Amino acid sequence: MPQFDDAELTAAVIRSFGEVPDPRVKFLVEELVKSLHDYVRKTDLTFDEWGYAIDFLTRTGQKCTSTRQEFILLSDVLGVSMLVDAVNHRQRNGATETTVLGPFYVGEHKPMPHGTDISAKLPGERMFVQSRVTDLEGKLLAGVPVDVWHADNDGYYDSQRPDYETTGPSSRARFITDAEGKFFFRTILPCSYPIPTDGPVGEMILQTRRHPMRPAHVHFLVNAKGYEPLITHLFMDGDKYLDSDVVFGVKDDLISKIEKRTDATMPDGKPAKSPWHLMTYEFHMKPGAGAGAAPQALGVRPSEAA
Ligand code: BEZ
Ligand code: FE
């Protein structure tokens, strides 16, 4: 009957995984055991503390539903989502920076004509978004699906509303780039908003004296055939939470200057109610294996694509 002291125990657990057939899985499991054991040794973790952690993780799982993923939120607020993003996008070579997908992507969006007001029924300051998609040499990419989504003036995504199934999408659409790689649409100026605080993750944020806010942003998922799928946001310059995003998702290159305009028409020549805001941005795509595929094939969590 083997007996182990606390150091030998780690080696014994690692040996117990010695027959794992896939070398990558074996490596991941071994490193996980090492990191967890190191944590317990370093902190002299008490039974009460370990019990608290298990209760917290249990409540995190219990909060998950087909439309709510509390574990992803936990990964986001602990910076793990952005770290996974960072280690997988080390060499951008001029490609647009990436950031977290977030829990409010609901799968493939409905294609809409350029210029559509995707927030037509919502109150808020009006914004015109104009953009182009190119490769790293500046070649314009036509026919590229671009999914966009953002929060409303109260800081909620359409999918958070209890009547979402019946009222359908708002502030959410897909545009297909034209022959010059362009797409454009109307919407409202998004505002900063808190991540959900009615679960264990929000509880942790508030109890640890962090704030739950994300700076205002619009999400983009650009999925061109032959290029890496680009999951990113554009943040509104000047937002007071840019330096303290609760999910650590801000990158300088993703902060977009928003111009306040008083012209009587918007860039597509249609009348505008003054004042309005103009967001202009160009996305640069890195060559890769994107196939204009369904979101599930992009590594989007199935519960979000429901
Ligand atoms: C979001 O941007 O929608 C988001 C991202 C991470 C956690 C919560 C919300
Ligand atoms: Fe968001």
Side-chain angles (χ1 to χ4, degrees):
M1 178 80 67
Q3 312 276 313
F4 306 109
D5 68 16
D6 67 352
E8 289 161 353
L9 188 63
T10 305
V13 176
I14 288 174
R15 269 198 311 277
S16 77
F17 287 106
E19 301 302 314
V20 173
D22 182 319
R24 175 68 180 169
V25 175
K26 186 164 183 282
F27 175 66
L28 291 176
V29 172
E30 286 174 359
E31 292 303 313
L32 179 67
V33 170
K34 278 191 222 164
S35 298
L36 277 175
H37 284 214
D38 278 348
Y39 180 84
V40 174
R41 265 189 293 271
K42 245 188 256 164
T43 58
D44 279 329
L45 200 68
T46 67
F47 285 110
D48 277 356
E49 289 160 346
W50 186 225
Y52 183 93
I54 287 183
D55 177 61
F56 177 82
L57 292 173
T58 304
R59 289 188 294 118
T60 300
Q62 286 165 342
K63 198 73 190 169
C64 295
T65 66
S66 61
T67 55
R68 171 143 183 185
Q69 233 304 355
E70 194 77 358
F71 271 113
I72 293 175
L73 201 57
L74 181 60
S75 155
D76 293 340
V77 302
L78 292 180
V80 179
S81 303
M82 281 309 288
L83 196 54
V84 174
D85 178 76
V87 300
N88 282 280
H89 294 122
R90 283 200 170 106
Q91 299 286 325
R92 294 311 286 153
N93 303 331
T96 302
E97 293 289 346
T98 52
T99 188
V100 283
L101 180 71
F104 301 118
Y105 185 66
V106 296
E108 255 183 287
H109 291 173
K110 201 167 146 239
M112 293 194 188
H114 293 266
T116 302
D117 188 344
I118 65 170
S119 302
K121 294 188 200 134
L122 297 178
E125 295 179 39
R126 309 322 289 182
M127 178 166 78
F128 190 93
V129 178
Q130 57 181 9
S131 182
R132 283 200 315 188
V133 179
T134 78
D135 72 4
L136 298 185
E137 277 76 48
K139 188 180 97 183
L140 304 168
L141 301 180
V144 177
V146 181
D147 287 354
V148 304
W149 67 107
H150 67 81
D152 65 17
N153 230 9
D154 300 325
Y156 290 106
Y157 284 80
D158 54 359
S159 57
Q160 290 177 287
R161 304 259 180 212
D163 57 356
Y164 174 59
E165 293 301 328
T166 47
T167 54
S170 74
S171 308
R172 180 186 299 279
R174 166 172 291 186
F175 296 97
I176 311 286
T177 59
D178 66 14
E180 294 173 320
K182 290 186 190 155
F183 67 94
F184 55 94
F185 60 95
R186 292 168 168 71
T187 188
I188 54 169
L189 202 60
C191 59
S192 38
Y193 63 86
I195 59 159
T197 51
D198 60 342
V201 174
E203 214 174 87
M204 177 187 83
I205 291 294
L206 300 176
Q207 282 178 5
T208 55
R209 310 290 188 272
R210 287 174 61 182
H211 74 67
M213 300 301 289
R214 295 221 63 206
H217 58 271
V218 180
H219 293 256
F220 293 85
L221 195 166
V222 188
N223 189 14
K225 194 168 178 198
Y227 296 85
E228 272 184 9
L230 173 66
I231 293 173
T232 197
H233 320 340
L234 295 182
F235 294 92
M236 313 290 123
D237 194 19
D239 190 287
K240 73 181 217 193
Y241 296 108
L242 283 174
D243 289 336
S244 62
D245 181 6
V246 66
V247 305
F248 311 95
V250 180
K251 294 177 178 173
D252 285 346
D253 286 354
L254 300 178
I255 300 174
S256 169
K257 286 214 168 9
I258 313 291
E259 294 172 54
K260 193 161 187 175
R261 303 292 285 259
T262 52
D263 328 24
T265 54
M266 286 191 173
D268 60 356
K270 298 209 173 125
K273 223 169 117 198
S274 181
W276 53 279
H277 304 266
L278 178 63
M279 174 192 258
T280 308
Y281 199 85
E282 196 167 276
F283 294 99
H284 301 142
M285 305 295 288
K286 188 176 177 189
Q296 285 86 342
L298 299 177
V300 172
R301 286 80 63 157
S303 62
E304 287 162 12

